[in-house]
Amino acid sequence: MENPLADIDDIEQIADPAERARQAGQRLAAVPAWQERLRKIRQAAVVEMKAQNMSYADIGRELGLHRNRIQQILEGRSAGGKGGKVEAAE
């Protein structure tokens, strides 16, 4: 798997501290949108796996998650029961 933090590694290497701070700030501002989009991508993939008649336990084993977490993902609930609900995947 490609290093998902490669972009951050590149930012750390920027010599100019002002530019390094700007680049880090831009990434930080994008984090909420990235999280929402990634949750939707994951939910859609889990919905697809469930549509292939996989059980919660089977999907959980495949993804390294507990079957209860798989059910939460399918229902659009965010981790930790913090009340955040993600819109259902289209």
Side-chain angles (χ1 to χ4, degrees):
M1 179 171 121
E2 188 177 307
N3 179 3
L5 300 178
D7 190 45
I8 294 172
D9 293 339
D10 292 342
I11 292 169
E12 280 184 318
Q13 301 306 313
I14 297 172
D16 177 28
E19 182 59 21
R20 190 168 58 242
R22 273 192 291 278
Q23 293 295 322
Q26 288 175 359
R27 291 344 180 262
L28 285 167
V31 167
W34 289 351
Q35 287 178 325
E36 181 180 353
R37 187 169 178 196
L38 289 168
R39 280 188 200 104
K40 287 179 180 182
I41 290 168
R42 179 178 62 182
Q43 183 185 31
V46 171
V47 166
E48 187 176 336
M49 294 169 81
K50 188 68 178 144
Q52 295 171 355
N53 294 317
M54 292 179 73
S55 69
Y56 294 146
D58 290 340
I59 297 168
R61 274 191 293 277
E62 185 75 24
L63 302 182
L65 299 170
H66 193 276
R67 66 181 180 273
N68 293 348
R69 183 69 189 116
I70 298 305
Q71 184 174 4
Q72 291 171 343
I73 291 168
L74 283 166
E75 293 171 356
R77 291 192 278 157
S78 60
K82 296 176 183 158
K85 188 146 177 130
V86 176
E87 289 184 27
E90 295 179 6

Coordinates of all heavy atoms in Angstrom, one line a residue:
M1 N 0.8 -1.2 0.0 CA 0.0 0.0 0.0 C 0.9 1.2 0.0 O 1.9 1.3 0.7 CB -0.9 0.0 1.2 CG -1.8 1.2 1.3 SD -3.0 1.0 2.6 CE -2.6 2.4 3.6
E2 N 0.5 2.2 -0.8 CA 1.2 3.5 -0.9 C 1.1 4.2 0.5 O 0.1 4.1 1.2 CB 0.5 4.3 -2.0 CG 1.3 5.6 -2.3 CD 0.6 6.3 -3.5 OE1 0.4 5.6 -4.5 OE2 0.3 7.5 -3.3
N3 N 2.1 4.9 0.8 CA 2.2 5.7 2.1 C 1.2 6.8 2.0 O 1.4 7.8 1.3 CB 3.6 6.2 2.3 CG 3.7 7.0 3.6 OD1 2.7 7.2 4.4 ND2 4.8 7.5 3.9
P4 N 0.1 6.7 2.8 CA -0.9 7.8 2.8 C -0.4 9.1 3.3 O -1.0 10.2 3.2 CB -2.1 7.3 3.6 CG -1.4 6.3 4.5 CD -0.3 5.7 3.7
L5 N 0.7 9.1 4.0 CA 1.3 10.3 4.6 C 2.4 10.9 3.8 O 3.1 11.8 4.2 CB 1.8 10.0 6.0 CG 0.7 9.5 7.0 CD1 1.3 9.2 8.4 CD2 -0.4 10.5 7.1
A6 N 2.6 10.4 2.6 CA 3.7 10.9 1.7 C 3.7 12.4 1.5 O 4.7 13.0 1.5 CB 3.7 10.1 0.4
D7 N 2.5 12.9 1.3 CA 2.3 14.3 1.1 C 2.8 15.1 2.3 O 3.4 16.1 2.2 CB 0.8 14.6 0.8 CG 0.6 16.1 0.3 OD1 1.4 16.5 -0.5 OD2 -0.3 16.7 0.8
I8 N 2.5 14.6 3.5 CA 2.9 15.2 4.7 C 4.5 15.2 4.9 O 5.1 16.1 5.3 CB 2.3 14.6 6.0 CG1 0.8 14.8 5.9 CG2 2.9 15.1 7.3 CD1 -0.1 14.1 6.9
D9 N 5.0 14.0 4.5 CA 6.5 13.9 4.5 C 7.1 15.0 3.6 O 8.1 15.6 4.0 CB 6.9 12.5 4.0 CG 6.5 11.4 4.9 OD1 6.3 11.7 6.1 OD2 6.5 10.2 4.5
D10 N 6.5 15.2 2.4 CA 7.0 16.3 1.5 C 6.9 17.6 2.1 O 7.8 18.5 2.0 CB 6.2 16.2 0.2 CG 6.5 15.0 -0.6 OD1 7.5 14.3 -0.4 OD2 5.7 14.7 -1.5
I11 N 5.8 17.9 2.8 CA 5.6 19.2 3.5 C 6.7 19.4 4.5 O 7.2 20.5 4.6 CB 4.2 19.3 4.1 CG1 3.2 19.4 2.9 CG2 4.1 20.6 4.9 CD1 1.7 19.2 3.4
E12 N 7.0 18.4 5.3 CA 8.0 18.5 6.3 C 9.4 19.0 5.8 O 10.2 19.6 6.5 CB 8.2 17.2 7.1 CG 7.2 17.0 8.1 CD 7.4 15.7 8.9 OE1 7.8 14.7 8.3 OE2 7.2 15.8 10.2
Q13 N 9.6 18.6 4.5 CA 10.9 18.9 3.9 C 11.0 20.3 3.3 O 12.1 20.7 2.8 CB 11.2 17.9 2.8 CG 11.2 16.4 3.3 CD 12.2 16.3 4.5 OE1 13.3 16.7 4.5 NE2 11.7 15.6 5.6
I14 N 9.9 21.1 3.3 CA 9.9 22.4 2.7 C 10.8 23.3 3.6 O 10.6 23.4 4.8 CB 8.5 23.0 2.6 CG1 7.7 22.2 1.6 CG2 8.5 24.5 2.2 CD1 6.2 22.5 1.5
A15 N 11.8 23.9 3.0 CA 12.8 24.7 3.8 C 12.2 26.0 4.4 O 12.5 26.3 5.5 CB 14.0 25.0 2.9
D16 N 11.4 26.7 3.6 CA 10.8 28.0 4.0 C 9.7 27.7 5.1 O 8.7 27.1 4.7 CB 10.3 28.7 2.8 CG 9.6 30.0 3.2 OD1 10.0 30.6 4.2 OD2 8.7 30.4 2.4
P17 N 9.9 28.2 6.3 CA 8.9 27.9 7.3 C 7.5 28.5 7.0 O 6.5 27.8 7.3 CB 9.5 28.5 8.6 CG 10.6 29.4 8.2 CD 11.0 28.9 6.8
A18 N 7.5 29.6 6.4 CA 6.2 30.2 6.0 C 5.4 29.3 5.0 O 4.2 29.1 5.1 CB 6.3 31.6 5.5
E19 N 6.2 28.9 4.0 CA 5.5 28.0 3.0 C 5.1 26.7 3.6 O 4.1 26.2 3.3 CB 6.5 27.8 1.8 CG 5.9 27.0 0.7 CD 4.6 27.5 0.1 OE1 4.4 28.8 0.2 OE2 3.9 26.8 -0.5
R20 N 6.0 26.2 4.5 CA 5.7 24.9 5.2 C 4.4 25.0 6.0 O 3.5 24.2 5.9 CB 6.9 24.5 6.0 CG 6.8 23.1 6.6 CD 8.1 22.6 7.2 NE 8.5 23.5 8.3 CZ 9.7 24.1 8.3 NH1 10.5 24.1 7.3 NH2 10.0 24.9 9.4
A21 N 4.3 26.2 6.7 CA 3.1 26.4 7.5 C 1.8 26.6 6.6 O 0.8 26.1 6.9 CB 3.3 27.7 8.3
R22 N 2.0 27.3 5.5 CA 0.9 27.5 4.5 C 0.4 26.1 4.0 O -0.8 25.8 3.9 CB 1.3 28.4 3.4 CG 1.0 29.9 3.6 CD 1.2 30.7 2.3 NE 2.5 30.7 1.8 CZ 3.5 31.5 2.3 NH1 3.2 32.4 3.2 NH2 4.7 31.5 1.8
Q23 N 1.3 25.3 3.6 CA 1.0 24.0 3.0 C 0.3 23.1 4.0 O -0.7 22.4 3.8 CB 2.2 23.3 2.4 CG 2.8 24.0 1.2 CD 1.9 23.9 0.0 OE1 1.2 23.0 -0.2 NE2 1.8 25.0 -0.7
A24 N 0.8 23.1 5.3 CA 0.2 22.4 6.4 C -1.2 22.9 6.6 O -2.1 22.1 6.8 CB 1.1 22.4 7.6
G25 N -1.4 24.2 6.7 CA -2.7 24.8 6.9 C -3.7 24.4 5.9 O -4.9 24.1 6.2
Q26 N -3.3 24.4 4.6 CA -4.2 24.0 3.5 C -4.7 22.6 3.7 O -5.8 22.3 3.5 CB -3.5 24.2 2.2 CG -3.3 25.6 1.7 CD -2.5 25.7 0.4 OE1 -2.1 24.7 -0.1 NE2 -2.3 26.9 0.0
R27 N -3.8 21.7 4.1 CA -4.1 20.3 4.3 C -5.1 20.2 5.5 O -6.0 19.4 5.5 CB -2.9 19.4 4.5 CG -1.9 19.1 3.4 CD -2.4 19.4 2.0 NE -1.4 19.2 1.0 CZ -0.6 20.1 0.5 NH1 -0.6 21.3 0.9 NH2 0.3 19.8 -0.5
L28 N -4.8 20.9 6.6 CA -5.6 20.8 7.7 C -7.1 21.3 7.4 O -8.0 20.7 7.9 CB -5.0 21.7 8.9 CG -3.8 21.1 9.6 CD1 -3.2 22.1 10.5 CD2 -4.3 19.9 10.4
A29 N -7.2 22.4 6.6 CA -8.5 22.9 6.3 C -9.3 21.9 5.5 O -10.5 21.9 5.5 CB -8.3 24.2 5.5
A30 N -8.6 21.0 4.7 CA -9.3 20.0 3.9 C -9.7 18.7 4.6 O -10.5 18.0 4.1 CB -8.4 19.6 2.7
V31 N -9.1 18.5 5.8 CA -9.4 17.3 6.6 C -10.9 16.9 6.7 O -11.3 15.8 6.4 CB -8.6 17.3 7.9 CG1 -9.1 16.2 8.8 CG2 -7.1 17.2 7.7
P32 N -11.7 17.9 7.2 CA -13.1 17.5 7.3 C -13.8 17.0 6.0 O -14.5 16.0 6.1 CB -13.8 18.7 7.8 CG -12.7 19.5 8.5 CD -11.5 19.2 7.7
A33 N -13.5 17.6 4.9 CA -14.0 17.2 3.7 C -13.5 15.8 3.3 O -14.2 15.0 2.7 CB -13.7 18.2 2.6
W34 N -12.2 15.6 3.5 CA -11.6 14.3 3.2 C -12.2 13.2 4.0 O -12.5 12.1 3.5 CB -10.1 14.3 3.5 CG -9.2 15.1 2.5 CD1 -9.6 15.7 1.4 CD2 -7.9 15.5 2.7 NE1 -8.6 16.4 0.8 CE2 -7.5 16.2 1.6 CE3 -6.9 15.2 3.7 CZ2 -6.2 16.7 1.5 CZ3 -5.6 15.7 3.6 CH2 -5.3 16.4 2.4
Q35 N -12.4 13.5 5.3 CA -13.0 12.5 6.2 C -14.4 12.1 5.7 O -14.8 10.9 5.7 CB -13.1 13.0 7.7 CG -11.7 13.0 8.3 CD -11.8 13.5 9.7 OE1 -12.6 14.4 10.0 NE2 -11.0 13.0 10.6
E36 N -15.2 13.1 5.4 CA -16.6 12.8 4.9 C -16.6 12.0 3.7 O -17.3 11.0 3.5 CB -17.3 14.1 4.7 CG -18.8 13.9 4.3 CD -19.5 15.2 4.0 OE1 -19.0 16.3 4.3 OE2 -20.6 15.1 3.5
R37 N -15.7 12.4 2.7 CA -15.6 11.7 1.4 C -15.2 10.2 1.6 O -15.7 9.3 1.1 CB -14.7 12.4 0.5 CG -14.7 11.8 -0.9 CD -14.0 12.7 -1.9 NE -14.0 12.1 -3.2 CZ -13.2 12.5 -4.2 NH1 -12.4 13.5 -4.0 NH2 -13.2 11.9 -5.3
L38 N -14.1 10.1 2.5 CA -13.6 8.7 2.7 C -14.6 7.9 3.5 O -14.8 6.7 3.2 CB -12.3 8.8 3.6 CG -11.1 9.3 2.8 CD1 -10.0 9.7 3.7 CD2 -10.7 8.4 1.7
R39 N -15.4 8.4 4.4 CA -16.5 7.7 5.0 C -17.5 7.2 4.0 O -18.0 6.0 4.1 CB -17.2 8.5 6.1 CG -16.4 8.6 7.4 CD -17.3 9.3 8.4 NE -16.5 9.8 9.5 CZ -16.1 11.1 9.7 NH1 -16.6 12.1 8.8 NH2 -15.3 11.5 10.6
K40 N -17.9 8.1 3.1 CA -18.8 7.7 2.1 C -18.3 6.6 1.1 O -19.0 5.7 0.8 CB -19.3 8.9 1.3 CG -20.2 9.8 2.1 CD -20.6 11.0 1.3 CE -21.5 11.9 2.1 NZ -22.0 13.1 1.3
I41 N -17.0 6.7 0.8 CA -16.4 5.7 -0.1 C -16.4 4.3 0.7 O -16.7 3.3 0.1 CB -14.9 6.1 -0.4 CG1 -15.0 7.3 -1.4 CG2 -14.2 4.9 -1.0 CD1 -13.6 7.9 -1.6
R42 N -16.0 4.4 2.0 CA -16.0 3.1 2.7 C -17.4 2.6 2.9 O -17.6 1.4 2.7 CB -15.4 3.4 4.1 CG -15.3 2.1 5.0 CD -14.7 2.3 6.3 NE -15.4 3.2 7.1 CZ -15.0 3.6 8.3 NH1 -13.9 3.2 8.8 NH2 -15.7 4.5 9.0
Q43 N -18.4 3.4 3.2 CA -19.7 2.9 3.4 C -20.2 2.3 2.1 O -20.9 1.2 2.1 CB -20.6 4.1 3.8 CG -22.1 3.6 4.1 CD -23.0 4.7 4.4 OE1 -22.8 5.8 3.9 NE2 -24.0 4.5 5.2
A44 N -20.0 2.9 0.9 CA -20.4 2.4 -0.3 C -19.8 1.0 -0.6 O -20.5 0.1 -1.1 CB -20.1 3.3 -1.5
A45 N -18.5 0.9 -0.2 CA -17.9 -0.4 -0.4 C -18.5 -1.5 0.5 O -18.7 -2.6 0.0 CB -16.4 -0.3 -0.2
V46 N -18.8 -1.1 1.7 CA -19.4 -2.1 2.6 C -20.8 -2.4 2.2 O -21.2 -3.6 2.2 CB -19.4 -1.5 4.1 CG1 -20.2 -2.4 5.0 CG2 -17.9 -1.4 4.6
V47 N -21.5 -1.5 1.7 CA -22.9 -1.7 1.1 C -22.7 -2.7 0.0 O -23.5 -3.7 -0.1 CB -23.5 -0.4 0.7 CG1 -24.8 -0.7 -0.2 CG2 -23.9 0.4 1.9
E48 N -21.7 -2.5 -0.9 CA -21.5 -3.5 -2.0 C -21.2 -4.9 -1.5 O -21.7 -5.9 -2.1 CB -20.4 -2.9 -2.9 CG -20.1 -3.6 -4.1 CD -19.1 -3.0 -5.0 OE1 -18.8 -1.8 -4.8 OE2 -18.5 -3.7 -5.8
M49 N -20.3 -5.0 -0.5 CA -20.0 -6.3 0.1 C -21.2 -7.0 0.7 O -21.4 -8.2 0.5 CB -18.9 -6.1 1.1 CG -17.6 -5.6 0.5 SD -16.4 -5.2 1.8 CE -15.7 -6.8 2.2
K50 N -22.1 -6.2 1.3 CA -23.3 -6.7 1.9 C -24.2 -7.2 0.8 O -24.9 -8.2 1.0 CB -23.9 -5.7 2.8 CG -25.1 -6.2 3.6 CD -24.6 -7.2 4.7 CE -25.8 -7.7 5.5 NZ -25.7 -9.1 5.9
A51 N -24.3 -6.5 -0.3 CA -25.1 -6.8 -1.4 C -24.7 -8.1 -2.0 O -25.4 -8.8 -2.7 CB -25.2 -5.7 -2.4
Q52 N -23.4 -8.5 -1.8 CA -22.9 -9.8 -2.3 C -23.1 -10.9 -1.3 O -22.5 -11.9 -1.4 CB -21.4 -9.6 -2.6 CG -21.0 -8.7 -3.7 CD -19.5 -8.4 -3.8 OE1 -18.7 -8.8 -3.0 NE2 -19.2 -7.6 -4.8
N53 N -24.1 -10.7 -0.4 CA -24.5 -11.6 0.6 C -23.4 -12.0 1.6 O -23.5 -13.1 2.2 CB -25.1 -12.9 -0.1 CG -26.4 -12.6 -0.8 OD1 -27.2 -11.9 -0.3 ND2 -26.5 -13.2 -2.0
M54 N -22.5 -11.1 1.9 CA -21.5 -11.3 2.9 C -22.2 -10.9 4.3 O -22.9 -10.0 4.3 CB -20.3 -10.5 2.7 CG -19.5 -10.9 1.5 SD -18.0 -9.8 1.3 CE -16.9 -10.4 2.6
S55 N -21.9 -11.7 5.3 CA -22.4 -11.4 6.6 C -21.6 -10.2 7.2 O -20.5 -9.9 6.8 CB -22.3 -12.6 7.5 OG -20.9 -12.9 7.8
Y56 N -22.1 -9.6 8.3 CA -21.4 -8.6 9.0 C -20.0 -9.1 9.5 O -19.0 -8.5 9.4 CB -22.1 -8.1 10.2 CG -23.4 -7.3 9.9 CD1 -24.5 -7.4 10.8 CD2 -23.5 -6.5 8.8 CE1 -25.7 -6.7 10.5 CE2 -24.7 -5.8 8.5 CZ -25.8 -5.9 9.4 OH -26.9 -5.2 9.2
A57 N -20.0 -10.4 10.0 CA -18.8 -11.0 10.5 C -17.8 -11.2 9.3 O -16.6 -11.0 9.5 CB -19.1 -12.3 11.1
D58 N -18.3 -11.7 8.2 CA -17.4 -11.9 7.0 C -16.7 -10.6 6.6 O -15.5 -10.5 6.3 CB -18.1 -12.5 5.8 CG -18.5 -14.0 6.1 OD1 -17.9 -14.6 7.0 OD2 -19.5 -14.4 5.4
I59 N -17.6 -9.5 6.5 CA -17.1 -8.2 6.1 C -16.1 -7.7 7.1 O -15.0 -7.2 6.8 CB -18.2 -7.2 5.9 CG1 -19.1 -7.6 4.7 CG2 -17.6 -5.8 5.6 CD1 -20.4 -6.9 4.7
G60 N -16.4 -7.9 8.4 CA -15.5 -7.5 9.5 C -14.2 -8.2 9.4 O -13.1 -7.5 9.5
R61 N -14.2 -9.5 9.1 CA -12.9 -10.2 9.0 C -12.1 -9.7 7.8 O -10.9 -9.5 7.9 CB -13.2 -11.7 8.8 CG -13.3 -12.4 10.1 CD -13.3 -14.0 9.9 NE -14.5 -14.4 9.2 CZ -15.7 -14.7 9.8 NH1 -15.8 -14.5 11.1 NH2 -16.7 -15.1 9.1
E62 N -12.8 -9.4 6.7 CA -12.1 -8.9 5.5 C -11.5 -7.6 5.8 O -10.4 -7.3 5.3 CB -13.1 -8.8 4.4 CG -12.6 -8.5 3.1 CD -11.8 -9.6 2.4 OE1 -12.0 -10.8 2.7 OE2 -10.9 -9.3 1.5
L63 N -12.1 -6.7 6.6 CA -11.6 -5.3 6.8 C -10.9 -5.1 8.1 O -10.4 -4.1 8.4 CB -12.8 -4.4 6.7 CG -13.6 -4.4 5.4 CD1 -14.7 -3.3 5.5 CD2 -12.7 -4.2 4.2
G64 N -10.8 -6.2 8.9 CA -10.2 -6.1 10.2 C -10.9 -5.3 11.2 O -10.4 -4.6 12.1
L65 N -12.3 -5.3 11.1 CA -13.2 -4.6 12.0 C -14.2 -5.5 12.6 O -14.4 -6.6 12.1 CB -13.9 -3.5 11.2 CG -13.1 -2.4 10.5 CD1 -14.0 -1.6 9.6 CD2 -12.4 -1.6 11.6
H66 N -14.7 -5.2 13.8 CA -15.7 -6.0 14.5 C -17.0 -5.9 13.7 O -17.3 -4.9 13.1 CB -15.9 -5.5 15.9 CG -16.7 -6.4 16.7 ND1 -18.1 -6.4 16.7 CD2 -16.3 -7.4 17.6 CE1 -18.5 -7.4 17.6 NE2 -17.4 -7.9 18.1
R67 N -17.8 -7.0 13.7 CA -19.0 -7.0 13.0 C -20.0 -5.9 13.4 O -20.8 -5.4 12.6 CB -19.7 -8.4 13.1 CG -20.2 -8.7 14.5 CD -20.8 -10.1 14.5 NE -21.2 -10.5 15.8 CZ -20.5 -11.0 16.8 NH1 -19.2 -11.3 16.5 NH2 -20.9 -11.3 18.0
N68 N -19.9 -5.5 14.7 CA -20.8 -4.4 15.1 C -20.4 -3.1 14.4 O -21.2 -2.3 14.1 CB -20.7 -4.2 16.6 CG -21.3 -5.4 17.4 OD1 -22.0 -6.2 16.8 ND2 -21.0 -5.4 18.7
R69 N -19.1 -2.9 14.2 CA -18.6 -1.7 13.5 C -19.1 -1.7 12.1 O -19.5 -0.7 11.5 CB -17.1 -1.6 13.6 CG -16.6 -0.3 12.9 CD -17.0 0.9 13.8 NE -16.6 2.1 13.0 CZ -17.6 3.0 12.6 NH1 -18.8 2.8 12.8 NH2 -17.2 4.1 11.9
I70 N -19.1 -2.9 11.4 CA -19.6 -3.0 10.1 C -21.1 -2.6 10.0 O -21.5 -1.8 9.1 CB -19.5 -4.4 9.5 CG1 -18.0 -4.8 9.5 CG2 -20.1 -4.6 8.2 CD1 -17.1 -3.9 8.7
Q71 N -21.9 -3.0 11.0 CA -23.3 -2.6 11.0 C -23.4 -1.1 11.2 O -24.2 -0.4 10.5 CB -24.0 -3.3 12.2 CG -25.5 -3.0 12.2 CD -26.3 -3.8 13.2 OE1 -25.7 -4.5 14.0 NE2 -27.6 -3.6 13.3
Q72 N -22.6 -0.5 12.0 CA -22.6 1.0 12.2 C -22.2 1.7 10.9 O -22.9 2.7 10.5 CB -21.6 1.4 13.3 CG -22.0 1.0 14.7 CD -20.8 1.2 15.7 OE1 -19.7 1.4 15.3 NE2 -21.2 1.2 17.0
I73 N -21.2 1.2 10.2 CA -20.9 1.8 8.9 C -22.0 1.7 7.9 O -22.3 2.7 7.2 CB -19.6 1.1 8.4 CG1 -18.4 1.5 9.2 CG2 -19.3 1.5 6.9 CD1 -17.1 0.6 9.0
L74 N -22.7 0.6 7.9 CA -23.8 0.4 7.0 C -24.9 1.4 7.3 O -25.6 1.9 6.4 CB -24.3 -1.0 7.0 CG -23.5 -2.0 6.2 CD1 -23.9 -3.5 6.6 CD2 -23.6 -1.8 4.7
E75 N -25.1 1.6 8.6 CA -26.2 2.6 9.0 C -25.7 4.0 8.9 O -26.5 4.9 9.2 CB -26.5 2.3 10.5 CG -27.2 0.9 10.7 CD -27.4 0.5 12.1 OE1 -26.9 1.2 13.0 OE2 -28.0 -0.6 12.4
G76 N -24.5 4.3 8.6 CA -24.0 5.6 8.4 C -23.6 6.3 9.7 O -23.5 7.5 9.8
R77 N -23.3 5.5 10.8 CA -22.9 6.0 12.0 C -21.4 6.1 12.1 O -20.7 5.2 11.7 CB -23.4 5.2 13.2 CG -24.9 5.2 13.4 CD -25.3 4.6 14.6 NE -25.4 3.2 14.5 CZ -25.3 2.3 15.5 NH1 -25.2 2.7 16.7 NH2 -25.4 1.0 15.3
S78 N -20.9 7.3 12.6 CA -19.5 7.5 12.7 C -18.9 6.7 14.0 O -19.7 6.3 14.8 CB -19.1 8.9 12.8 OG -19.7 9.5 13.9
A79 N -17.7 6.5 14.1 CA -17.0 5.8 15.1 C -17.3 6.4 16.5 O -17.5 7.6 16.6 CB -15.5 5.7 14.9
G80 N -17.4 5.6 17.5 CA -17.5 6.0 18.9 C -18.9 6.5 19.3 O -19.1 7.0 20.4
G81 N -19.9 6.3 18.4 CA -21.2 6.6 18.8 C -21.4 8.1 19.1 O -22.2 8.5 19.9
K82 N -20.6 8.9 18.4 CA -20.6 10.4 18.7 C -21.8 11.1 18.1 O -21.9 12.3 18.1 CB -19.3 11.0 18.2 CG -18.1 10.5 18.9 CD -16.9 11.0 18.4 CE -15.7 10.4 19.1 NZ -14.5 10.5 18.4
G83 N -22.7 10.3 17.5 CA -23.9 10.9 16.9 C -23.9 11.3 15.5 O -24.9 11.6 14.9
G84 N -22.6 11.4 15.0 CA -22.5 11.9 13.6 C -23.0 10.8 12.6 O -22.7 9.7 12.7
K85 N -24.0 11.2 11.8 CA -24.5 10.3 10.8 C -24.1 10.7 9.4 O -24.2 11.9 9.1 CB -26.0 10.3 10.9 CG -26.7 9.2 10.1 CD -27.9 8.7 10.8 CE -28.5 7.6 9.9 NZ -28.8 6.4 10.5
V86 N -23.6 9.8 8.7 CA -23.1 10.1 7.3 C -24.3 9.7 6.4 O -25.0 8.8 6.6 CB -21.9 9.2 7.0 CG1 -21.5 9.3 5.5 CG2 -20.8 9.4 7.9
E87 N -24.5 10.5 5.4 CA -25.6 10.3 4.4 C -25.3 8.9 3.8 O -24.2 8.5 3.5 CB -25.7 11.3 3.4 CG -26.2 12.7 3.9 CD -26.3 13.7 2.8 OE1 -26.5 13.3 1.6 OE2 -26.2 14.9 3.1
A88 N -26.4 8.2 3.5 CA -26.3 6.9 2.9 C -25.6 7.0 1.5 O -25.8 8.0 0.8 CB -27.6 6.3 2.7
A89 N -24.8 6.0 1.2 CA -24.1 6.0 -0.1 C -25.1 5.9 -1.2 O -26.1 5.2 -1.0 CB -23.1 4.9 -0.1
E90 N -24.9 6.5 -2.3 CA -25.8 6.5 -3.4 C -25.5 5.3 -4.3 O -24.4 4.9 -4.5 CB -25.8 7.8 -4.2 CG -26.3 8.9 -3.4 CD -26.2 10.2 -4.1 OE1 -25.9 10.3 -5.3 OE2 -26.5 11.3 -3.5

